[in-house]
Amino acid sequence: MAKPRISSIDGKLAEEFAVPSHVEEVKEKMAAFARNHAAAGRRVVLITSGGTKVPLESRTVRFLDNFSSGRRGASSAEYFVDSGYAVIFLHRHRSLYPYTRMFSNVNMLEALKFSGGDGASNSSGDVVVDQQVLPNIAKALKRYQEMKEGKLLLPIEFSTLSEYLHLLKAAAQALSTIGSKAMFYLAAAVSDFYIPASEMPEHKIQSSNGPLQLSMNMVPKILSPLVKDWAPQAFVISFKLETDATILLEKARRALDTYRHQAVVANVLDSRRGYVVVVTPETQAELIITDEDVKNEVEIEERIVSNLTAAHKKFITQQGG
Ligand code: PAZ
């Protein structure tokens, strides 16, 4: 039997990024989830969502983080479920979560009241929801219950960059068993820089030592072994965020040339809720949300998911799946 290829990134991951203790258990869970849903004829998407925490000390007091709210990943998860997919949701702890995301800013105690109409004076009665405070709660609850009934969402949490990298590798290996039926939708905003464990101070950095100068290493480009070694038959989508719109498409094309995956969703920080470009080696599709769409509560993730599920279907057919 041919030996599995060990990329140098595998070595780096093992040496420089602490392995989460539950990684094997989570990998088995993901593999079983993918196997069962694929056997039932479903496609499976692994969504990554949210930012990563990069510790500056091993007994971490301080860390670097980024802007990502996790909204892209959370809302996409809902649209994938609506499109018949089973979803592994690899998300940053406390970032936005499918179905509850719309209510994340709501004070629950403002949204609930005692039935019977006279508020607190009838506090032994049943509690009911004030739908003015939680508009769309009935619709969200219905979608959530359907998802739960079908066991269509497997949530997996990470916080640090190390956890993210090891769990993504485990997910890729777990999903490799279902070949082209697997999609990777890598929407998380992952740090490009880190401090290796061997160079990290153990204790809190002391301000009495004066101004802090940091030297950080480049995070290994995990897309490379994911596409080449870990899940070579899967349909892989990466995301590219820039603040300078003039370099965005060129960088998206360069990523496709380098990693040879299927598509890049390109977006600019300030306009990401209303405009993205889905770039493939042959095509470039602009997806736009108009004012009318906003009025009708249409979200750009619905369009992204619709574009990519159609492309995935075609891909599976081309691969003979
Ligand atoms: O999480 P969010 O909804 O606030 O933002 C989504 C996003 C901008 C993180 C995502 O669309 C994206 O581009 N992720 C990749 C970022 C990168 O280039 O690393």
Side-chain angles (χ1 to χ4, degrees):
M1 210 170 80
K3 269 192 175 172
R5 236 175 70 123
I6 308 249
S7 70
S8 59
I9 294 180
D10 278 298
K12 206 165 210 168
L13 270 188
E15 276 166 29
E16 296 191 0
F17 297 90
V19 185
S21 58
H22 64 317
V23 71
E24 284 306 318
E25 185 193 324
V26 173
K27 185 170 162 182
E28 188 37 53
K29 237 191 217 171
M30 294 190 283
F33 181 85
R35 245 188 342 260
N36 293 342
H37 281 294
R42 255 172 235 114
R43 291 180 252 162
V44 180
V45 62
L46 180 284
I47 297 178
T48 67
S49 185
T52 54
K53 179 167 144 183
V54 179
L56 303 187
E57 300 124 340
S58 50
R59 299 191 193 202
T60 308
V61 173
R62 302 189 186 89
F63 51 85
L64 294 184
D65 211 327
N66 66 53
F67 69 95
S68 172
S69 65
R71 176 168 153 185
R72 175 83 86 224
S75 59
S76 300
E78 296 169 14
Y79 294 115
F80 274 111
V81 169
D82 291 348
S83 309
Y85 278 69
V87 176
I88 299 177
F89 187 59
L90 180 56
H91 64 287
R92 165 74 183 270
H93 178 61
R94 292 209 178 124
S95 62
L96 290 180
Y97 194 83
Y99 306 101
T100 60
R101 68 187 167 98
M102 292 97 147
F103 314 111
S104 62
N105 289 329
V106 174
N107 175 349
M108 273 299 155
L109 297 182
E110 291 293 333
L112 302 174
K113 55 188 182 191
F114 291 108
S115 62
D118 57 351
S121 64
N122 187 22
S123 60
S124 58
D126 289 338
V127 173
V128 294
V129 170
D130 181 344
Q131 298 210 27
Q132 309 230 313
V133 184
L134 290 178
N136 292 333
I137 184 75
K139 192 172 152 204
L141 181 61
K142 185 164 181 291
R143 283 172 94 203
Y144 177 76
Q145 286 182 341
E146 284 166 4
M147 173 280 292
K148 219 172 141 191
E149 178 101 340
K151 300 192 171 78
L152 294 170
L153 187 80
L154 177 64
I156 310 283
E157 274 189 4
F158 65 84
S159 281
T160 63
L161 175 66
S162 296
E163 287 166 356
Y164 170 85
L165 294 172
H166 283 288
L167 290 170
L168 178 58
K169 177 180 172 184
Q173 292 174 331
L175 266 69
S176 67
T177 55
I178 64 162
S180 62
K181 286 201 180 77
M183 186 197 293
F184 288 81
Y185 184 88
L186 306 174
V190 182
S191 177
D192 286 321
F193 309 103
Y194 76 108
I195 300 178
S198 56
E199 289 168 31
M200 212 185 285
E202 181 184 352
H203 293 287
K204 183 182 170 201
I205 298 168
Q206 295 298 311
S207 60
S208 53
N209 295 341
L212 180 62
Q213 290 198 344
L214 288 176
S215 164
M216 302 182 83
N217 288 12
M218 294 295 300
V219 172
K221 298 291 182 195
I222 196 148
L223 195 50
S224 178
L226 190 154
V227 173
K228 275 202 281 209
D229 306 327
W230 299 336
Q233 293 173 301
F235 186 73
V236 180
I237 315 301
S238 69
F239 280 67
K240 173 67 69 190
L241 176 88
E242 293 295 339
T243 50
D244 177 357
T246 63
I247 61 169
L248 181 65
L249 292 181
E250 204 256 312
K251 298 227 20 203
R253 296 223 155 275
R254 203 184 310 158
L256 283 176
D257 279 351
T258 307
Y259 303 111
R260 307 262 151 204
H261 57 307
Q262 281 65 45
V264 175
V265 178
N267 55 175
V268 170
L269 184 64
D270 296 337
S271 59
R272 69 190 192 279
R273 306 281 175 232
Y275 179 77
V276 306
V277 187
V278 180
V279 186
T280 75
E282 304 83 26
T283 61
Q284 193 167 297
E286 289 185 300
L287 307 180
I288 297 165
I289 290 296
T290 62
D291 291 346
E292 193 58 24
D293 290 328
V294 174
K295 254 190 254 155
N296 294 326
E297 298 182 352
V298 177
E299 296 179 297
I300 196 153
E301 287 77 15
E302 186 175 355
R303 304 237 157 104
I304 302 174
V305 169
S306 163
N307 178 299
L308 293 174
T309 52
H312 188 199
K313 194 169 171 201
K314 222 163 137 190
F315 176 80
I316 293 172
T317 310
Q318 283 164 355
Q319 305 299 305

